[in-house]
Amino acid sequence: MTSTNQDIEQLVLLCGSGNQRAQLEIYNRYNKAMYNTALRIVKDSFKAEDIMQESFLTAFTKLKTLEDTKLFGAWLKRIVVNNSIAHYNKTVKQNEVPLEHVMYKVENDNGIEEQSHNSEKVKQILKAMKSLKTNYSLGLTLHLIEGYDYEEICEIMDISYANCRTMISRAKESLRKKLELTV
């Protein structure tokens, strides 16, 4: 049986013993999804790529701490989300302003479209979400796209439960208003 036909449990066991082909197979299976997860949080493709790579390295080096190999995908995603949130919090604390907010864009935005976002409606919603305040955008991404509940978002963003519910509610309302303007 070749490594491409093996199930994730077998691949994880092989990775634990240092098998580089198994690591490459796992990387190939998960890299796009993990990149997209990081990108939705950090909103910078280069940083998302770095976070994804770093997360895979972390996962491969800490594989022995994984209790159930069937849960590898969820475990890896949690590592990506945690690394993305850490980067987000570091950026907020440093009060960095993205370059695209400071300088006028010279190039056009007709680059390669993500295949997973083919629908025009989805593109409109994601574009509107990107234009929200950063904490609104992050909160909605974690809640609506990544599927985290309020308690988990409270932990990730280090806010109270009431503050989280209010923020998500206001973010949804702000998103509705932005979408109404585009229709």
Side-chain angles (χ1 to χ4, degrees):
M1 177 181 276
T2 64
S3 65
T4 56
N5 296 330
Q6 293 174 330
D7 67 2
I8 194 66
E9 294 176 66
Q10 292 171 322
L11 287 170
V12 170
L13 291 174
L14 288 171
C15 285
S17 63
N19 185 315
Q20 290 182 344
R21 283 189 176 174
Q23 289 176 343
L24 180 61
E25 178 63 28
I26 284 180
Y27 178 83
N28 288 335
R29 288 186 186 188
Y30 288 98
N31 72 343
K32 288 182 180 130
M34 297 305 125
Y35 168 79
N36 287 329
T37 297
L39 182 62
R40 283 191 295 268
I41 295 171
V42 299
K43 295 180 181 68
D44 178 319
S45 70
F46 295 113
K47 292 290 184 190
E49 181 82 22
D50 288 346
I51 289 168
M52 185 227 6
Q53 297 284 343
E54 180 183 315
S55 298
F56 272 102
L57 289 173
T58 301
F60 291 142
T61 57
K62 297 188 179 207
L63 209 50
K64 289 179 178 31
T65 64
L66 178 62
E67 294 175 12
D68 186 356
T69 55
K70 293 177 188 174
L71 301 176
F72 178 80
W75 181 68
L76 176 61
K77 186 174 182 178
R78 186 67 181 170
I79 293 171
V80 171
V81 168
N82 287 342
N83 287 344
S84 300
I85 295 297
H87 176 270
Y88 170 83
N89 288 334
K90 184 176 126 188
T91 303
V92 168
K93 285 180 183 165
Q94 290 177 348
N95 205 13
E96 290 182 5
V97 177
L99 188 60
E100 59 268 11
H101 289 245
V102 177
M103 298 178 64
Y104 292 105
K105 286 188 178 182
V106 177
E107 78 279 357
N108 63 10
D109 239 0
N110 297 335
I112 299 171
E113 299 285 0
E114 283 188 51
Q115 291 177 351
S116 62
H117 300 291
N118 289 335
S119 163
E120 283 301 314
K121 191 76 166 167
V122 171
K123 288 178 189 175
Q124 282 181 327
I125 292 169
L126 291 175
K127 184 177 178 183
M129 281 180 66
K130 286 180 184 177
S131 71
L132 295 174
K133 292 180 4 181
T134 54
N135 63 330
Y136 284 6
S137 178
L138 177 60
L140 283 179
T141 297
L142 291 172
H143 185 61
L144 299 176
I145 297 175
E146 300 302 331
Y148 287 98
D149 61 23
Y150 290 130
E151 288 86 7
E152 293 170 318
I153 295 171
C154 291
E155 282 182 41
I156 291 169
M157 295 182 73
D158 194 26
I159 57 177
S160 71
Y161 185 83
N163 191 1
C164 179
R165 289 185 56 95
T166 301
M167 179 194 62
I168 298 284
S169 175
R170 289 179 180 166
K172 286 178 181 177
E173 185 59 32
S174 182
L175 181 62
R176 270 189 216 99
K177 288 178 181 174
K178 287 189 182 288
L179 289 172
E180 285 174 2
L181 293 175
T182 61
V183 175

